[in-house]
Each structure stands twice: as C-alpha cells, then as structure tokens.
Amino acid sequence: MNSFAATTVAHPNIALIKYWGNLDDEWNIPANSSLSMTLGKLWTQVRLVADQQLDRDLLRIDGAIASPEAQARVSQFLDQIRRLSGKAFFCRIESSSNFPRGSGIASSAAAFAALALAAARVFGLSTEPQELSRLARLGSGSACRSIFGGFVEWIGGQDHRSSYAVPIAPPQHWELVDCVAVVSTAHKAVSSRAGHRLAKTSPLQPCRVQSAPQRLEACRRAILERDFELLTQVVELDSNLMHSVMMTSQPPLFYWQAETLGIMELVRQWRSEGAAVCYTIDAGPNVHVLTLADQAERVREKLSQINGVQTVIVAPVGEGASFVEG
Ligand code: PMV
C-alpha cells in the first residue's frame, strides 16, 4: 500500500454551459461538452483511510453516519477505484463542507473531486490532473471540472479516456462573483443522476446538444476577453435551454419555483438599469446570479431583500482540488 490515509479539499463549481444528459450513463460520458467556474470560499474536505480490517466502506458526512443511498454511491465509486487499481481494501471516509447541502450548490462535484484525489493517493493511482479529472467524473460528471480552479472546460469525448476537463483560465483571470439566492433548501425531488437519464426523452435535447458547441465557443471567448455582455447572452440562453429540456422530458421536471422566476425577472430589470448581472440555474430552484467583484456587495444586498430569499451565498472564483497536510 502506498499510503494509508489522505486528506484533501475541493470546491464546487457552477456550470456556465451546462452538462445535461449522457452518451453513456455508466461512465458519465456527457452528451455535450460544458464549461464552468470553480467556486472559492466554499469547500468540501475529505479524509480517506484505508483499513484492512473493514468488510465494507464506511461514510460519515459532517460527523454523522451517511444515508444508505450516499454510502452506496461512494462505495460504487470506490469499487471502480478498486477495479482500476487492483487493490481490494475498504475505507473509512469522512466528508465535511462549509456550505449547506441542498442549497443549490452542487455538493457532489466538490465531494467527488476531493474523494478522487484522496483515493488516487491511497490506492496508488496517478495524481496527474487529467487522470484525476477522469476519476472524479466517475463519481459525478460535474466533479471532473472541480479538479481544476478558475474557468474549466469539460471535453465531453466519446469514452473514458477522451472525457476529462481542462483549465482555460486561472482564478485571477477575471473577478467574477456568484451570488446564490437560496429560495429552498429542500432536497431535490429528482436527482441530477436521474435527470440525466431523462434528458433523451425530451424532443428538445437533440437541438440543445447540437447547438452546444457554438455556445461553448462564445462562452470561452466571453471569458478570455472578459466580455460580460457576451457572457450574459450565452449563459442565460444555455440555462434556459437546459430547463426547457427538463420541462419537456417524460416525465417532465420542473425545478423552478415562483421565486425563481421572480429573481430572473429582477436580474433582467437590474441589467436594464446598468448593473452587470446575469443568472444561471442548476437542477433546483435557487438562482446563481453572476456579477463583477465591485458590484457583488450591492447584488448580495438586493437579493437578500427579496421576499422568499432565505439566504445569499457569495462565492468568488476558486482554486482546484488539493491535499491538506497533516
Ligand atoms: O454532475 P451531476 O450529475 O451532479 O450533474 C450536474 C448537472 C448540472 O448541475 C445541472 C449542470 C452542470 O453542468 O453542472
């Protein structure tokens, strides 16, 4: 055994060009490439300890024994690690985060990015970033992007080898801030894992997938040229398209609530008054409002005054996954 334990930290990310639907559900090979911003200040720390006495994996989240579903998901991920490494031992996994689960911030992305890094160390697999990105993808597709900091593209690919993320600009490149208006912390009724499987039942999915490369190209350009206007156009369009697919799946998925639509409307209004703001929404009702660092405090204040907004989480651009010493 290379090492018996590892402690790592990783950050969630918000997709600017969304991943929704797979070519291959087992390996999380996405229907389209996507692009995200890693979120700083929010983190998930994972400690993984290999224990030859155990006869199964044991997961604790924020100090408490995890639900059977969460245990099974992590164990399935570690099964793949065991297969790839040829090592058969089980592990104790402790995960803790500084942001609430179910707050509209994909906790699985940060958790599986941190877990992939820890597992690679403990099971003696490569810790080369591209390889880690492939591993993290097996736990949760979007986790492959959280291996890297800054602005990150997930090259969709066709199979396990060709599907991984690459950084396109470092965190310092552009001072964007994500202000997440939390309108509900209830656990989502349909997980993104189940949602990916439904995507192909929407007649709109082929159109979304076919036009995704153009939006990704425009989004990449907006980031590289720090063009907030172009970013706004492409990010809102892409989010609206993903939700159109969700709403037209069989059965349909409606993640938005009345408050969600109200905030979208206000964001458009603030923009018409001169603010640099745009929205994007993941598989839940909470609204991610992107803005520039010098406007973030004002945006946070305005969002927190809206009826129905429980809290506003503010995150700048963050770093990639890393080891924690000790
Ligand atoms: O990685 P998953 O399976 O949790 O899916 C993420 C799906 C979205 O958050 C809605 C979009 C994305 O690209 O992150």
Side-chain angles (χ1 to χ4, degrees):
M1 224 185 276
N2 275 20
S3 170
F4 288 97
T7 307
T8 56
V9 67
H11 307 277
N13 67 75
I14 176 68
L16 306 175
I17 299 296
K18 307 291 188 189
Y19 150 52
W20 196 245
N22 284 321
L23 293 179
D24 180 330
D25 286 318
E26 195 194 337
W27 292 86
N28 287 341
I29 310 301
N32 62 282
S33 297
S34 54
L35 202 159
S36 62
M37 164 178 143
T38 304
L39 300 177
K41 294 218 173 114
L42 311 175
W43 49 257
T44 297
Q45 183 166 310
V46 165
R47 178 155 176 85
L48 184 78
V49 183
D51 187 339
Q52 280 163 330
Q53 309 302 313
L54 290 176
D55 58 3
R56 62 192 171 93
D57 299 311
L58 280 181
L59 171 66
R60 295 178 84 89
I61 300 180
D62 294 330
I65 292 180
S67 67
E69 295 77 28
Q71 296 269 2
R73 191 164 174 195
V74 163
S75 257
Q76 275 164 24
F77 174 73
L78 290 175
D79 283 344
Q80 280 168 304
I81 301 282
R82 284 184 275 265
R83 206 164 62 207
L84 289 167
S85 66
K87 294 177 180 156
F89 49 78
F90 294 99
C91 300
R92 273 197 307 277
I93 310 106
E94 278 163 37
S95 163
S96 55
S97 298
N98 74 339
F99 57 97
R101 273 178 294 136
S103 61
I105 295 170
S107 49
S108 63
F112 280 105
L115 187 57
L117 181 60
R121 166 71 62 86
V122 167
F123 284 81
L125 294 170
S126 165
T127 53
E128 184 271 319
Q130 238 164 58
E131 199 48 46
L132 287 173
S133 181
R134 290 187 187 96
L135 282 188
R137 194 197 73 238
L138 299 175
S140 156
S142 58
C144 78
R145 300 186 306 235
S146 275
I147 293 295
F148 300 99
F151 300 88
V152 183
E153 183 176 334
W154 174 8
I155 301 165
Q158 302 296 324
D159 55 20
H160 182 58
R161 285 231 61 75
S162 58
S163 189
Y164 56 87
V166 291
I168 63 164
Q172 306 71 24
H173 170 74
W174 197 11
E175 281 192 308
L176 285 185
V177 175
D178 183 7
C179 299
V180 192
V182 177
V183 300
S184 167
T185 52
H187 208 70
K188 51 188 164 206
V190 178
S191 68
S192 38
R193 180 174 266 214
H196 290 301
R197 289 180 153 84
L198 286 182
K200 58 175 86 66
T201 66
S202 164
L204 302 183
Q205 172 74 342
C207 166
R208 188 194 72 83
V209 168
Q210 202 184 22
S211 55
Q214 272 160 279
R215 288 190 299 283
L216 192 134
E217 180 53 38
C219 189
R220 190 192 298 120
R221 188 152 40 91
I223 290 164
L224 295 180
E225 295 174 6
R226 302 184 187 90
D227 182 341
F228 199 90
E229 228 175 278
L230 179 59
L231 186 82
T232 295
Q233 279 169 27
V234 71
V235 163
E236 291 192 354
L237 172 63
D238 194 80
S239 173
N240 293 343
L241 277 166
M242 179 180 74
H243 284 273
S244 304
V245 167
M246 291 163 160
M247 290 176 199
T248 51
S249 297
Q250 304 290 331
L253 298 175
F254 289 90
Y255 285 110
W256 295 351
Q257 294 180 0
E259 294 83 357
T260 314
L261 274 163
I263 297 167
M264 291 159 77
E265 182 59 36
L266 278 172
V267 167
R268 282 191 289 265
Q269 186 188 315
W270 297 341
R271 192 157 63 233
S272 72
E273 293 161 5
V277 278
C278 67
Y279 66 75
T280 184
I281 302 155
D282 275 350
N286 304 316
V287 185
H288 293 251
V289 180
L290 303 175
T291 187
L292 298 169
D294 59 355
Q295 300 185 32
E297 179 45 32
R298 180 89 190 100
V299 170
R300 189 200 61 75
E301 205 181 295
K302 282 163 77 145
L303 285 171
S304 61
Q305 283 161 5
I306 299 171
N307 251 342
V309 170
Q310 297 175 5
T311 173
V312 181
I313 296 172
V314 178
V317 190
E319 304 285 341
S322 59
F323 288 106
V324 177
E325 297 313 321

